[in-house]
Amino acid sequence: HRALTFSELQNMSKSPSAVIGAHTHLHPSLAALNYQQQQEEIERSKIDLENILGKQMDYFSYPFGGINHFNQNTIDICKKLN
């Protein structure tokens, strides 16, 4: 696995078939973090993608997604930042 290049990400974001969502900056399991740490991870990813793509990120695409990897704080932060 590898991360997309900026160019690949920009091209993908132009496709009507693709939806890009912010995720986390360093890809930790969010449930292991406190509220402030979770917010920093999610918000930094959102801001970085918005700067790269030049548009608002309205979705959150969590790299883990298992029920044990997020909590109510995660949900609340995503709603607040959207």
Side-chain angles (χ1 to χ4, degrees), residues 4-14 52:
L4 295 173
T5 66
F6 287 169
S7 177
E8 290 169 332
L9 191 57
Q10 289 167 331
N11 286 336
M12 184 183 286
S13 77
K14 295 173 187 171
I52 291 165

Side-chain angles (χ1 to χ4, degrees), residues 24-77:
T24 55
H25 180 67
L26 298 174
H27 307 106
S29 175
L30 291 174
L33 304 180
N34 66 37
Y35 186 94
Q36 181 62 36
Q37 292 167 319
Q38 285 192 42
Q39 181 167 325
E40 289 171 8
E41 280 289 325
I42 295 167
E43 190 168 26
R44 184 163 180 189
S45 172
K46 182 178 181 341
I47 290 169
D48 287 350
L49 279 173
E50 288 174 345
N51 288 334
I52 291 165
L53 300 177
K55 60 183 176 181
Q56 182 175 328
M57 293 290 100
D58 295 323
Y59 299 95
F60 183 72
S61 179
Y62 189 43
F64 288 103
I67 194 73
N68 296 323
H69 295 287
F70 68 95
N71 56 32
Q72 189 60 48
N73 285 340
T74 313
I75 295 167
D76 294 343
I77 292 165

